Amino acid sequence: EPEVTQTPSHQVTQMGQEVILRCVPISNHLYFYWYRQILGQKVEFLVSFYNNEISEKSEIFDDQFSVERPDGSNFTLKIRSTKLEDSAMYFCASSELGAANTGELFFGEGSRLTVL
Amino acid sequence: QKEVEQDPGPLSVPEGAIVSLNCTYSNSAFQYFMWYRQYSRKGPELLMYTYSSGNKEDGRFTAQVDKSSKYISLFIRDSQPSDSATYLCAMSAGTASKLTFGTGTRLQVTL
């Protein structure tokens, strides 16, 4: 069964350092997303990406965040200068159609980011 | 008022019980409603998807939407220990691509 894969599974970094989280979406999917979940809190939308550009972003997704699809398979989330409050589980998701069309978002298993 | 409210639990039931999980929402723009299951240290997995008021059944799962009351439910019949997980409701306004999640209800089904 096709799946969304994410690396690393866990990253520990110092405050102020740059972090890149990587995702390989399902191959025929067109819509890509990043969500995050702070421990004990709800899953929150960060950004959606379609046709090589951001289609929507939340207030959380400020200038410290960026996304990129550097090649035909990877989708990355970069945090330029990490803060303590960036510590969370980051989920990549993809869908064949937009989330509102089918709801069928396939999530990866997440990358846990710990900022010290 | 939060956009989506969900009782975090934990909810503990014996095997075979009927489980009722609920969410309320305040945003009238939400048109699409989903239930996700999340096992510990895993990503959310879609269980049910509905876009109209009423019931939708899939095996042991029934999703119910009442748009007039802004209330959605997920029923699990004949619950199994393997159903032990966190259940997340999520909703979308339709034209927007993002999902807004509830906090999740942790369910424990005991033998």
Side-chain angles (χ1 to χ4, degrees):
Chain A
E1 184 178 317
E3 59 181 14
V4 176
T5 56
Q6 290 186 242
T7 55
S9 57
H10 188 194
Q11 180 154 358
V12 181
T13 190
Q14 295 291 324
M15 192 169 56
Q17 295 297 304
E18 176 182 284
V19 161
I20 297 176
L21 305 178
R22 292 182 167 79
C23 170
V24 179
I26 295 173
S27 62
N28 64 331
H29 284 187
L30 302 175
Y31 293 80
F32 314 114
Y33 310 83
W34 284 101
Y35 286 78
R36 80 170 184 190
Q37 186 174 30
I38 295 171
L39 188 64
Q41 297 186 26
K42 65 178 184 177
V43 176
E44 299 175 292
F45 169 77
L46 291 179
V47 66
S48 59
F49 192 86
Y50 170 71
N51 201 25
N52 286 320
E53 61 183 24
I54 291 174
S55 51
E56 188 174 2
K57 61 183 180 179
S58 71
E59 292 176 353
I60 303 167
F61 194 88
D62 60 23
D63 292 343
Q64 294 299 313
F65 290 87
S66 62
V67 289
E68 194 178 33
R69 188 158 163 81
D71 53 42
S73 59
N74 289 284
F75 179 50
T76 62
L77 174 69
K78 182 192 291 186
I79 309 174
R80 198 183 342 269
S81 177
T82 50
K83 302 188 281 286
L84 295 176
E85 54 264 38
D86 293 328
S87 296
M89 181 74 89
Y90 288 81
F91 291 108
C92 175
S94 70
S95 71
E96 194 171 357
L97 300 174
N101 292 38
T102 68
E104 185 70 88
L105 251 65
F106 291 85
F107 283 82
E109 297 205 345
S111 292
R112 180 169 298 282
L113 175 64
T114 302
V115 182
L116 301 176
Chain B
Q1 184 182 11
K2 292 180 182 177
E3 269 196 305
V4 180
E5 302 256 16
Q6 184 176 10
D7 187 336
L11 178 63
S12 183
V13 301
E15 183 179 9
I18 296 174
V19 175
S20 172
L21 304 166
N22 312 294
C23 284
T24 59
Y25 62 96
S26 59
N27 188 346
S28 299
F30 288 141
Q31 296 295 320
Y32 298 83
F33 306 92
M34 294 127 236
W35 285 95
Y36 282 81
R37 177 174 61 195
Q38 186 177 25
Y39 292 113
S40 181
R41 302 182 187 280
K42 300 287 188 181
E45 171 195 9
L46 182 68
L47 284 177
M48 299 288 285
Y49 165 79
T50 58
Y51 58 86
S52 57
S53 284
N55 294 352
K56 180 178 180 179
E57 193 173 312
D58 184 1
R60 295 186 297 112
F61 299 93
T62 299
Q64 191 174 80
V65 173
D66 182 347
K67 289 186 179 180
S68 63
S69 301
K70 296 190 180 66
Y71 187 88
I72 67 170
S73 300
L74 177 71
F75 298 95
I76 308 174
R77 289 183 298 281
D78 188 25
S79 55
Q80 304 295 309
S82 57
D83 294 328
S84 298
T86 297
Y87 289 79
L88 312 172
C89 63
M91 27 201 99
S92 170
T95 54
S97 58
K98 70 175 184 180
L99 297 182
T100 300
F101 283 84
T103 52
T105 299
R106 190 156 60 90
L107 172 67
Q108 181 74 36
V109 181
T110 58
L111 290 170

